[in-house]
Amino acid sequence: MGASARLLRAVIMGAPGSGKGTVSSRITRHFALKHLASGDLLRDDIWLLDGFPRTLPQAEALDGAYQIDTAINLNVPFEVIKQRLTARWIHPASGRVHNIEFHPPKAVGIDDLTGEPLIQRDDDQPETVVKRLKAYEVQTQPVLEYYRKKGVLESFSGTETNKIWPHVYAFLQTKVPQINQKASVTP
């Protein structure tokens, strides 16, 4: 793909548990973007980078190597995120996630498919979640300000991914072609 065909290079920002993974998967399903986790190589001209950069030096380095067209910020209140994360239990072998509020297992503490015990990751313990959220805020506030000053920051606020998603979708419709015209804003 030549330089004239380059469409969009985007980063998605948001605290742990803000819905970055869910929104990223929806973006890649609906639009011609490749989803790259922070460890993936950035070879293509159309991509969405999830969860990176986290610090101002990282943002500046990324900007030095690639022109970032938009930074999508998922602004979810920390109290909502804390509730989400502390309600999250996983099946260690598969990585399957159960949220005791939104997607509870059929039997408390037991994986639906295997019958094996679910665990709560250390990262999802209430005191750890609060520390992670505070660290995220301190680290990324300068990054958000950096993208705001460059004029590429788009923030989407809300308490539920399904309510934020239509706004992200509408914004990206103006930036990139859709893959799946029929799917529209449905998750």
Side-chain angles (χ1 to χ4, degrees), residues 168-180:
V168 173
Y169 177 86
F171 167 72
L172 285 175
Q173 269 190 308
T174 67
K175 300 282 186 190
V176 295
Q178 274 186 272
I179 294 173
N180 187 347

Side-chain angles (χ1 to χ4, degrees), residues 8-171:
L8 183 74
R9 288 183 174 156
V11 295
I12 188 164
M13 308 283 297
S18 64
K20 290 183 307 289
T22 301
V23 169
S24 295
S25 68
R26 289 178 186 178
I27 290 170
T28 57
R29 193 165 55 239
H30 293 283
F31 298 94
L33 291 174
K34 293 185 179 182
H35 176 215
L36 303 172
S38 55
D40 294 330
L41 294 175
L42 308 177
R43 294 184 184 157
D44 295 303
D45 289 326
I46 307 169
W47 46 258
L48 171 74
L49 188 58
D50 174 2
F52 179 88
R54 290 190 179 128
T55 66
L56 185 56
Q58 290 172 347
E60 291 168 340
L62 182 62
D63 229 19
Y66 304 97
Q67 177 188 338
I68 300 302
D69 301 303
T70 191
I72 296 167
N73 179 43
L74 303 181
N75 184 20
V76 178
F78 281 179
E79 201 50 47
V80 171
I81 293 171
K82 181 182 171 193
Q83 187 177 351
R84 271 186 201 172
L85 293 179
T86 57
R88 187 165 65 177
W89 291 75
I90 65 164
H91 178 248
S94 69
R96 223 176 351 269
V97 176
H98 291 277
N99 184 297
I100 57 174
E101 293 180 22
F102 303 114
H103 178 60
K106 292 173 185 157
V108 175
I110 303 296
D111 181 63
D112 291 343
L113 297 180
T114 65
E116 296 170 350
L118 298 172
I119 64 161
Q120 189 174 43
R121 295 180 339 168
D122 288 341
D123 279 0
D124 296 335
Q125 300 288 330
E127 56 281 349
T128 307
V129 168
V130 169
K131 286 180 191 171
R132 287 173 63 202
L133 293 174
K134 285 181 181 175
Y136 173 83
E137 186 173 43
V138 167
Q139 276 190 329
T140 58
Q141 198 56 46
V143 176
L144 295 174
E145 189 56 34
Y146 173 77
Y147 286 129
R148 186 176 291 110
K149 285 180 182 173
K150 288 181 63 73
V152 298
L153 182 66
E154 291 291 330
S155 285
F156 300 91
S157 298
T159 58
E160 297 175 35
T161 303
N162 286 341
K163 291 182 179 177
I164 294 173
W165 167 244
H167 301 285
V168 173
Y169 177 86
F171 167 72

